[in-house]
């Protein structure tokens, strides 16, 4: 997957990992309940897509890394989940 394929995500705050096998973003919210609500919305989408993020939450921040472990890199599943997460973040 090229940076051109990822351009809309990169323009929206996602970054490509140094090894090129993942994309990362830290979402920031007004408080913990807002961050947790985002994680709940994103988790429902991830479960439905059978594609789960690597993520962590600290108070109002949610750090996300997306990669497709089965293929050892980025796939359309990662792009679709990133878009859904951006939408869930509102």
């Amino acid at each position: 997957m090229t940076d051109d394929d990822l351009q809309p995500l990169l323009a929206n705050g996602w970054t490509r990992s140094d090894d090129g096998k993942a994309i990362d973003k830290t979402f920031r919210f007004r408080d913990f309940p807002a961050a947790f609500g985002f994680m709940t919305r994103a988790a429902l989408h991830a479960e439905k897509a059978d594609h789960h993020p690597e993520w962590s939450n600290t108070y109002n921040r949610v750090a996300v890394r997306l990669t497709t472990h089965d293929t050892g890199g980025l796939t359309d599943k990662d792009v679709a989940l990133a878009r859904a997460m951006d939408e869930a973040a509102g």
Side-chain angles (χ1 to χ4, degrees):
M1 188 161 293
T2 69
D3 281 348
D4 286 340
D5 298 328
L6 298 174
Q7 192 53 44
L9 295 175
L10 298 174
N12 201 24
W14 289 89
T15 58
R16 191 171 196 144
S17 63
D18 290 340
D19 63 7
K21 295 181 179 183
I23 52 175
D24 303 285
K25 184 173 182 176
T26 298
F27 292 88
R28 297 184 191 282
F29 301 92
R30 70 180 175 281
D31 54 22
F32 176 75
F36 194 83
F38 160 75
M39 292 181 78
T40 301
R41 292 186 301 277
L44 292 171
H45 181 82
E47 184 65 18
K48 190 180 294 185
D50 193 30
H51 190 61
H52 305 95
E54 297 174 21
W55 59 3
S56 64
N57 166 245
T58 304
Y59 183 60
N60 69 333
R61 294 182 319 270
V62 179
V64 177
R65 173 169 281 228
L66 299 177
T67 188
T68 303
H69 295 283
D70 293 347
T71 66
L74 290 169
T75 67
D76 290 338
K77 284 185 167 190
D78 302 300
V79 171
L81 186 53
R83 288 181 183 145
M85 291 179 133
D86 284 341
E87 187 174 313

